[in-house]
Amino acid sequence: MGSEEGLEQSLLSEDQHIQNEICRPCSGDGSVDINGNPALRHHTGNWKSCLFILGTECCERLAYYGIVKNLVTYLITKFHEGNAIAARNVTTWQGTCYLTTLIGASIADSYLGRFKTIAVFSTIYLIGMLILTLSASVPALKPPSCVGIACLDASTAQYAIFFIGLYLIALGTGGIKPCVSSFGADQFDDTDPLERVSKGSYFNWYYFSINIGSLISGTLLVWIQDNYGWGLGFGIPTVFMALAILSFFSGTTVYRFQKPGGSPFTRNFQVIVASIRKWYIAVPHDSSFLFELPNATAGLNEIRKLKHSSTYKFLDKAATICNLDVKFENSLDPWRLCTVTQVEELKILLRMFPILATGIMFSAIYAQNSSMFLEQGMALDKRIGSFTIPPATLSSFDVISVIIWVPIYDKLLIPIARRLTRNERGISQLQRIGIGLFISILTVTAAALVETKRLQIAKAEGIVHEKVTVPMSILWQIPQYSLAGLSEVFICIGHLEFFYDQAPDNLRSLCTALTLVLVALGSYLSSLILSIVMLITTRRGNPGWIPDNLNEGHLDRFFWLLAGLSFLNLMVYVHYAMKYKHKM
């Protein structure tokens, strides 16, 4: 069996031959440099520009996780919120952070482009961080401290300033997240076989950089927040957000830029309207009779054409030419006649929707890392010798798992898989996502087993009705966090690569945003499940599954419920993944 390098060259030999024949000084995907000129291959893009983007993402994620990792602790200890309310506030805010990605993606794809969108929303993000830091530093803005067992509620103004800062951060990250990953992928030319392979590695290292920032936040910053105060604990992430902005602008001269292609929502809605208006028209059997712009005019938004597919045939009516269209040939109405490429864009989104939807349950499980896993850790023994471990620090094992597994996956598992499958990716993107979904079931199963054992110890020690920690080491949470990290390596990176790869050119920010919306919907689903569980289990005066004193509850049943729902979700995913037809 030959070397990995020899195998890769063999897999790419045909493409490399084509590249040598048409070698050009400029990129072949229509990208331009900062001055609007065609991007030169050797002076822009590739890894030289991605280093700035990876640095930006590392610093921005350090800032973000510097807030979210310990936010539930801040709400419980400083705002004196109950466990369920604090968890619901955190998951709702996290959901909003990812739901706002639709705003950023729409602006980037339609008007500003990814670079300018990142620049604008980074500023909003930094303002939010500054407000949050002030709310935890200025005495008049800080919630009152407890005196003995008496705890006063924070004032309306204190709540307002704190949440204004939080939700400005949510808006800022919504503009950055869908654009940074796709902007980094834009630095690799799809028409260059070697750069196309590098793009697959980029998504792995992009996620690796995210977790480097997350690791620092989950260890050093959490420790600072618990031991040196929240003003400094929020101030350090603010400094790193400023560094993220500096890193981003430092690479301006070597970036490749893709021009925005018009509102994707308008283009898709035009297809729907045109199809309905022509519901009575028969679609020609030969797809060559469907409407498409000639090559000379197809550059309306510099969008590469898509080939016709046989799915969702009703939508082909939008590209079917009728007598009325011929009559007004010189002034075609886009709400009556759409191009094949335009129709295929909508078809792609529809085909991807089931794959997208099955990711929501995974995100609901992942949301437990910063909510129920954290609250479970607060009820365990946090002492290791004379050192006390902050519960949020355990989430670092999630991050460490990612940092360990990304290089193993990229440098060891994929080369082995390439030899076995003769596929340049090793395993398909859909197979990668499916493996991640399965591992996520093991994640929540491990959490359920830990909680079952914790409750057994609480009962044996006779402390069920006491709100005290159970003499069981918090280190028992390491397996569930480690499995969570392993599942991320498969499903989260798989989602990023799959949705970017399958997306049409002018929908890439939007499709990347859809992968992030999964996190939002998962957080909202987690909040919904939590609310329903509390409503049902607290009837007739019962403490419920998740009371403030977890020793009286049944958090294990909540985790088993998530495991069961995740198994059903995996079955649905396998069904749709086997039927999926890739972009042509």
Side-chain angles (χ1 to χ4, degrees):
M1 187 174 292
S3 66
E4 177 187 343
E5 181 180 356
L7 175 61
E8 184 172 291
Q9 291 301 319
S10 175
L11 291 171
L12 299 175
S13 59
E14 184 177 351
D15 281 338
Q16 189 64 55
H17 173 73
I18 295 173
Q19 183 194 33
N20 291 335
E21 291 294 320
I22 62 172
C23 184
R24 295 163 296 182
C26 299
S27 63
D29 59 358
S31 58
V32 298
D33 61 20
I34 186 62
N35 298 314
N37 300 317
L40 298 174
R41 289 183 187 274
H42 299 294
H43 296 287
T44 64
N46 216 321
W47 289 109
K48 72 173 80 58
S49 58
C50 279
L51 292 177
F52 295 102
I53 296 171
L54 295 177
T56 297
E57 186 64 7
C58 180
C59 291
E60 185 273 327
R61 287 292 91 183
L62 188 151
Y64 173 79
Y65 286 115
I67 304 300
V68 73
K69 287 280 187 181
N70 219 14
L71 184 57
V72 72
T73 303
Y74 185 72
L75 291 174
I76 291 173
T77 60
K78 297 301 180 181
F79 279 91
H80 321 306
E81 294 184 345
N83 286 342
I85 294 175
R88 188 163 60 240
N89 279 335
V90 171
T91 53
T92 300
W93 175 71
Q94 282 185 283
T96 305
C97 286
Y98 290 95
L99 191 61
T100 52
T101 58
L102 290 176
I103 298 174
S106 299
I107 292 174
D109 281 341
S110 305
Y111 308 109
L112 295 182
R114 289 183 258 281
F115 178 81
K116 291 181 180 178
T117 301
I118 294 171
V120 170
F121 282 86
S122 292
T123 304
I124 296 173
Y125 197 133
L126 184 59
I127 292 172
M129 294 290 297
L130 289 169
I131 292 174
L132 196 67
T133 302
L134 289 174
S135 74
S137 304
V138 178
L141 302 180
K142 295 165 62 176
S145 300
C146 294
V147 180
I149 61 172
C151 297
L152 298 176
D153 292 336
S155 67
T156 302
Q158 290 167 342
Y159 261 111
I161 292 172
F162 176 75
F163 280 102
I164 285 172
L166 267 188
Y167 280 88
L168 280 176
I169 293 171
L171 179 60
T173 193
I176 295 173
K177 282 297 289 179
C179 298
V180 171
S181 61
S182 52
F183 186 60
D186 288 344
Q187 307 308 306
F188 299 95
D189 184 2
D190 276 333
T191 66
D192 183 316
L194 293 179
E195 288 195 22
R196 189 168 64 243
V197 172
S198 294
K199 184 189 293 184
S201 290
Y202 160 74
F203 284 110
N204 291 325
W205 294 108
Y206 169 79
Y207 209 75
F208 181 87
S209 67
I210 289 176
N211 283 274
I212 289 293
S214 181
L215 177 63
I216 297 172
S217 296
T219 52
L220 180 60
L221 285 183
V222 167
W223 184 78
I224 289 174
Q225 289 165 353
D226 285 356
N227 293 278
Y228 288 93
W230 295 91
L232 180 62
F234 288 157
I236 293 174
T238 302
V239 172
F240 273 93
M241 186 60 219
L243 291 176
I245 296 174
L246 178 63
S247 175
F248 178 70
F249 283 110
S250 296
T252 300
T253 58
V254 294
Y255 290 147
R256 293 176 185 172
F257 303 85
Q258 295 284 345
K259 295 181 179 180
S263 172
F265 295 107
T266 299
R267 290 171 60 83
N268 292 334
F269 195 52
Q270 285 173 340
V271 174
I272 296 172
V273 172
S275 299
I276 294 174
R277 293 176 73 174
K278 294 181 177 181
W279 64 271
Y280 57 90
I281 294 178
V283 177
H285 294 290
D286 187 347
S287 62
S288 64
F289 288 103
L290 296 175
F291 178 67
E292 182 61 277
L293 291 174
N295 289 332
T297 58
L300 175 64
N301 294 313
E302 299 188 7
I303 299 170
R304 284 177 285 184
K305 291 182 181 180
L306 298 173
K307 294 181 180 179
H308 175 262
S309 66
S310 58
T311 57
Y312 302 107
K313 293 184 178 179
F314 177 80
L315 296 177
D316 289 336
K317 293 178 182 292
T320 302
I321 303 172
C322 66
N323 293 333
L324 191 60
D325 296 324
V326 174
K327 183 178 180 181
F328 298 101
E329 183 177 359
N330 294 328
S331 58
L332 296 176
D333 181 359
W335 296 92
R336 282 194 58 87
L337 183 63
C338 303
T339 65
V340 170
T341 294
Q342 200 173 338
V343 172
E344 289 303 315
E345 288 174 354
L346 180 56
K347 287 184 179 182
I348 288 171
L349 291 179
L350 292 175
R351 289 199 298 268
M352 289 193 299
F353 179 77
I355 306 299
L356 176 77
T358 51
I360 297 174
M361 193 63 226
F362 165 78
S363 296
I365 290 178
Y366 186 72
Q368 308 313 310
N369 280 16
S370 55
S371 56
M372 299 304 12
F373 285 6
L374 183 56
E375 293 187 7
Q376 182 187 46
M378 294 171 71
L380 291 165
D381 185 1
K382 297 174 283 295
R383 295 170 299 172
I384 303 296
S386 60
F387 184 73
T388 299
I389 300 177
T393 301
L394 262 291
S395 63
S396 298
F397 284 96
D398 172 355
V399 179
I400 292 170
S401 179
V402 172
I403 292 173
I404 291 173
W405 279 104
V406 164
I408 291 175
Y409 180 90
D410 193 65
K411 300 300 183 182
L412 181 62
L413 297 183
I414 289 304
I416 292 174
R418 282 175 183 154
R419 294 187 181 98
L420 296 175
T421 65
R422 309 297 295 178
N423 183 318
E424 70 177 27
R425 284 195 176 96
I427 59 174
S428 73
Q429 296 154 343
L430 292 176
Q431 288 171 335
R432 181 173 188 170
I433 294 169
I435 293 171
L437 289 175
F438 174 75
I439 297 173
S440 72
I441 299 175
L442 302 181
T443 300
V444 74
T445 298
L449 293 173
V450 168
E451 184 62 16
T452 299
K453 183 63 176 179
R454 193 192 70 82
L455 291 175
Q456 289 174 351
I457 294 175
K459 184 176 180 181
E461 294 289 329
I463 56 174
V464 170
H465 300 295
E466 299 178 31
K467 191 177 180 181
V468 295
T469 59
V470 169
M472 176 181 177
S473 175
I474 195 173
L475 297 182
W476 281 103
Q477 285 192 305
I478 291 177
Q480 66 202 57
Y481 280 113
S482 299
L483 286 168
L486 180 57
S487 67
E488 284 182 73
V489 171
F490 283 90
I491 190 171
C492 294
I493 303 175
H495 270 147
L496 283 173
E497 188 177 0
F498 173 77
F499 284 98
Y500 183 90
D501 182 67
Q502 291 298 298
D505 289 357
N506 71 321
L507 293 177
R508 279 177 167 166
S509 290
L510 177 62
C511 288
T512 301
L514 292 178
T515 68
L516 300 169
V517 169
L518 291 178
V519 182
L521 297 178
S523 294
Y524 291 139
L525 177 60
S526 176
S527 295
L528 177 62
I529 294 172
L530 183 61
S531 297
I532 293 173
V533 165
M534 291 299 294
L535 178 65
I536 295 175
T537 62
T538 56
R539 290 177 177 175
R540 300 176 182 176
N542 291 321
W545 286 2
I546 313 172
D548 289 342
N549 178 12
L550 289 181
N551 295 337
E552 295 180 334
H554 276 288
L555 183 57
D556 57 333
R557 295 177 183 175
F558 178 73
F559 290 144
W560 285 120
L561 174 63
L562 292 181
L565 293 174
S566 297
F567 177 77
L568 294 176
N569 180 69
L570 177 60
M571 296 299 100
V572 174
Y573 171 82
V574 170
H575 171 74
Y576 282 103
M578 292 178 66
K579 293 174 57 177
Y580 185 81
K581 293 185 177 180
H582 286 73
K583 180 178 72 174
M584 300 177 66

